[in-house]
């Protein structure tokens, strides 16, 4: 897995007590508190690329953008701002106000990549020594000893000056140990804010059942297929204080998971299998009737609303129907390829088809209907040529070994897979044609496929 960061910047500013607050700082409290320092971490582009040999995914995580949600110019994908403040009581270390902002994300998760990341971070966490806090019980035992020693030493032979000196030494030692203990404490976050709601579009591809995760969870992880499942990370604002980075992360994760379980399960289940295309069909029908009403309520232009509703209905319905048809054609193609592998007498002669089918790079999607027709024609032509060459090679090899009966036998053995081969070629050509039509109606779909899959045109 590769993590790529582009245009990363980090800024640290320190302020004196008399200095003015940093630009844009609006956190000066009622007591007139001033910031001590300020840190800003900015990442303009963040990508995680899948490089597992068993995966066909290209980009695991990247910034989502489309015609309906274009990326703003010079926008930063991730921004973290932290301001260190003096505590209101004036006792203890500095307190931090943390603000995090994130832009929309697209996730393409392969099951093998998910397990790889899980194992990697588990081993990484196990290799890091956990933080061991200072044993305060030992310090508590030491302080009474220091307090009782001066009392026991006070006698007729000791003057008041020596007593005061010993008490001062005990007090200095106690304050020094308290200061060192507070310096080792985690950062106290007085305020944490996740400033914007972040939509996430999720694709997941399960491959195999893993009983190690539990019977039900293993079956679910292995069989699940998600396509454009949508969820959102809601805004967060915590002002009751959190001690340590770990508690900040746990707070955010718990809040998001609770919100997803309560409010966002329909958006996730809407991407199961072909449900996304079915949902698009219903959205198109809804827009056909709802957009004219919405436009009429807004400015009274019902004709404009009818035009928008009809356009949305046509685009959504056509793209969903093409997507469902393409899925059906691809399922037929996969079945035909399996039957072809079973009936084929000599797998090495079918190396071209097998290599193209099992390679970790998919052919590039056609950009429009014209390119789809051209790719479909090339697929049919190459299929006919490959079939003819395979029959000729089988006949020539049989003739070399056994003469005319061997040639006839070689041709006869090649008849069963040859009968199935046209179905594979036809379905592949139909898939190219349907893909070209879909990409012409919905250009964002081709862009997402190019970023998601390892294709012949994608860059390493």
């Amino acid at each position: 897995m590769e993590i790529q960061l582009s245009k990363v910047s980090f800024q640290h500013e320190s302020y004196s007590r008399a200095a003015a607050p940093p630009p844009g700082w609006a956190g000066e409290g009622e007591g007139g508190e001033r910031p001590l320092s300020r840190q800003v971490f900015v990442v303009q582009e963040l990508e995680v690329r899948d490089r597992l040999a068993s995966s066909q995914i290209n980009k695991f995580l990247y910034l989502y953008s489309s015609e309906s949600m274009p990326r703003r110019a010079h926008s930063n994908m991730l921004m973290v701002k932290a301001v260190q403040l003096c505590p209101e009581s004036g006792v203890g270390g500095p307190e931090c106000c943390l603000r995090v902002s994130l832009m929309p994300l697209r996730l393409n998760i392969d099951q093998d990549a998910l397990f790889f990341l899980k194992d990697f971070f588990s081993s990484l966490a196990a290799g890091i020594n956990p933080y061991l806090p200072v044993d305060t019980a030992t310090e508590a035992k030491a302080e009474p000893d220091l307090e009782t020693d001066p009392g026991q030493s006070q006698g007729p032979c000791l003057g008041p000056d020596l007593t005061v000196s010993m008490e001062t030494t005990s007090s200095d030692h106690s304050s020094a140990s308290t200061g060192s203990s507070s310096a080792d404490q985690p950062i106290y976050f007085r305020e944490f804010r996740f400033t914007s709601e972040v939509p996430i579009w999720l694709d997941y591809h399960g491959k195999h059942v893993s009983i190690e995760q539990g019977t039900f969870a293993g079956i679910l992880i292995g069989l699940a297929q998600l396509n454009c499942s949508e969820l959102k990370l809601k805004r967060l604002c915590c002002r009751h204080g959190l001690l340590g980075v770990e508690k900040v992360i746990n707070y955010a994760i718990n809040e998001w998971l609770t919100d997803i379980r309560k409010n966002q399960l329909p958006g996730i289940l809407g991407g199961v299998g072909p449900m996304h295309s079915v949902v698009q069909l219903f959205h198109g029908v809804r827009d056909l009737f709802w957009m004219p009403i919405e436009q009429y309520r807004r400015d009274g232009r019902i004709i404009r609303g009818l035009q928008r509703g009809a356009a949305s209905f046509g685009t959504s319905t056509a793209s969903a129907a093409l997507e469902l048809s393409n899925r059906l054609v691809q399922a037929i193609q996969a079945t035909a390829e399996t039957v072809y592998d079973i009936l084929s007498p000599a797998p090495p002669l079918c190396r071209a088809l097998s290599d193209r089918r099992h390679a970790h790079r998919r052919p590039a999607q056609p950009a429009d209907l014209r390119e789809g027709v051209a790719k479909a024609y090339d697929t049919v032509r190459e299929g006919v040529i490959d079939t003819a060459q395979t029959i000729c090679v089988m006949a020539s090899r049989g003739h070399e070994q056994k003469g005319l009966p061997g040639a006839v036998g070689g041709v006869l053995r090649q008849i069963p897979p040859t009968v199935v081969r046209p179905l594979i070629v036809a379905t592949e050509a139909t898939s190219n044609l349907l893909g070209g039509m879909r990409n012409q109606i919905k250009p964002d779909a081709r862009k997402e496929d190019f970023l998601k899959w390892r294709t012949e045109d994608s860059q390493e």
Side-chain angles (χ1 to χ4, degrees):
M1 303 293 288
E2 293 179 357
I3 300 177
Q4 298 186 356
L5 306 176
S6 301
K7 297 184 179 180
V8 181
S9 63
F10 178 77
Q11 182 179 358
H12 173 77
E13 300 173 353
S14 298
Y15 308 101
S16 62
R17 297 292 180 130
W25 169 249
E28 189 170 356
E30 297 177 359
E33 58 189 16
R34 295 280 181 168
L36 299 177
S37 63
R38 178 173 179 257
Q39 296 81 33
V40 180
F41 178 71
V42 175
V43 179
Q44 187 169 357
E45 192 77 33
L46 168 64
E47 288 183 354
V48 179
R49 296 186 175 228
D50 190 341
R51 291 293 176 260
L52 268 69
S54 60
S55 173
Q56 294 185 357
I57 299 295
N58 179 30
K59 292 189 178 183
F60 182 89
L61 180 148
Y62 61 94
L63 173 67
Y64 178 82
S65 61
S66 62
E67 291 183 354
S68 59
M69 189 180 292
R71 179 175 182 175
R72 297 188 299 271
H74 309 293
S75 58
N76 297 312
M77 189 170 175
L78 173 65
M79 181 178 293
V80 181
K81 294 181 180 181
V83 178
Q84 311 290 333
L85 302 169
C86 287
E88 297 177 355
S89 61
V91 180
E95 300 175 353
C96 181
C97 292
L98 182 65
R99 298 179 184 179
V100 180
S101 62
L102 188 65
M103 296 189 69
L105 300 177
R106 188 73 161 85
L107 279 170
N108 301 312
I109 302 176
D110 181 87
Q111 183 181 354
D112 293 334
L114 182 65
F115 284 2
F116 172 79
L117 289 176
K118 175 181 174 293
D119 296 339
F120 175 79
F121 284 109
S122 297
S123 61
L124 183 66
I128 299 176
N129 293 327
Y131 170 75
L132 297 177
V134 178
D135 188 2
T136 57
T138 305
E139 297 180 357
K141 292 179 181 178
E143 290 179 1
D145 294 340
L146 292 172
E147 293 177 359
T148 56
D149 287 344
Q152 293 175 355
S153 301
Q154 288 179 8
C157 60
L158 295 179
D161 296 337
L162 183 57
T163 303
V164 173
S165 175
M166 294 183 67
E167 291 177 352
T168 305
T169 304
S170 174
S171 177
D172 292 342
H173 177 76
S174 177
S175 62
S177 63
T178 304
S180 62
S181 177
S182 63
D184 294 336
Q185 290 296 321
I187 302 174
Y188 177 74
F189 292 90
R190 180 194 299 182
E191 179 181 282
F192 168 67
R193 288 188 181 184
F194 191 76
T195 57
S196 58
E197 188 177 65
V198 178
I200 298 177
W201 284 265
L202 171 66
D203 285 11
Y204 175 77
H205 300 275
K207 292 181 175 180
H208 47 81
V209 176
S210 177
I211 306 300
E212 300 172 356
Q213 311 296 324
T215 304
F216 179 74
I219 295 175
L220 187 63
I221 292 174
L223 300 181
Q225 300 289 330
L226 298 179
N227 179 33
C228 288
S229 292
E230 184 177 354
L231 56 91
K232 294 181 180 180
L233 304 181
K234 69 173 185 177
R235 292 184 178 91
L236 299 177
C237 182
C238 176
R239 294 183 177 179
H240 54 71
L242 298 167
L243 184 61
V245 178
E246 182 179 357
K247 289 190 176 180
V248 173
I249 296 175
N250 290 337
Y251 164 78
I253 292 176
N254 291 334
E255 289 290 326
W256 288 330
L257 290 179
T258 302
D259 180 64
I260 290 172
R261 283 195 298 264
K262 291 182 177 179
N263 306 318
Q264 301 187 41
L265 286 181
I268 297 176
L269 297 178
V272 176
M275 284 299 298
H276 176 67
S277 300
V278 177
V279 170
Q280 276 190 315
L281 285 172
F282 282 105
H283 283 178
V285 175
R286 182 200 64 183
D287 291 343
L288 180 63
F289 296 99
W290 177 249
M291 279 190 172
I293 299 174
E294 185 182 17
Q295 190 74 33
Y296 178 77
R297 290 178 178 177
R298 184 184 305 170
D299 52 18
R301 297 191 300 172
I302 191 172
I303 301 299
R304 173 60 178 167
L306 290 172
Q307 293 174 346
R308 292 177 58 227
S312 176
F313 172 77
T315 302
S316 300
T317 305
S319 61
L322 291 172
E323 183 69 26
L324 289 172
S325 303
N326 204 0
R327 280 177 173 269
L328 178 61
V329 169
Q330 289 175 354
I332 297 174
Q333 180 182 351
T335 305
E337 288 174 348
T338 303
V339 174
Y340 181 88
D341 289 340
I342 296 174
L343 297 177
S344 180
L349 296 178
C350 312
R351 193 176 303 277
L353 175 65
S354 179
D355 289 346
R356 182 171 67 251
R357 192 159 32 94
H358 296 292
H360 292 295
R361 287 182 175 273
R362 296 191 172 196
Q365 288 285 325
D368 50 22
L369 181 58
R370 179 189 61 80
E371 190 172 338
V373 172
K375 282 183 173 291
Y377 171 76
D378 292 339
T379 300
V380 174
R381 181 174 60 84
E382 292 175 1
V384 172
I385 294 174
D386 290 344
T387 303
Q389 289 178 348
T390 301
I391 294 176
C392 291
V393 170
M394 290 293 296
S396 63
R397 286 187 179 181
H399 186 271
E400 292 175 358
Q401 296 175 358
K402 299 181 180 180
L404 183 60
V408 175
V411 173
L412 292 178
R413 284 193 300 271
Q414 198 61 27
I415 288 178
T418 303
V419 173
V420 181
R421 185 68 183 271
L423 180 60
I424 299 175
V425 173
T427 52
E428 187 175 353
T430 305
S431 179
N432 285 324
L433 187 62
L434 294 175
M437 295 173 64
R438 184 201 64 168
N439 294 335
Q440 183 164 2
I441 295 173
K442 194 176 180 181
D444 287 337
R446 180 174 182 266
K447 175 186 174 183
E448 291 180 6
D449 285 343
F450 179 77
L451 295 175
K452 176 180 179 180
W453 301 109
R454 299 183 198 176
T455 62
E456 298 169 353
D457 297 338
S458 63
Q459 299 293 329
E460 286 286 349

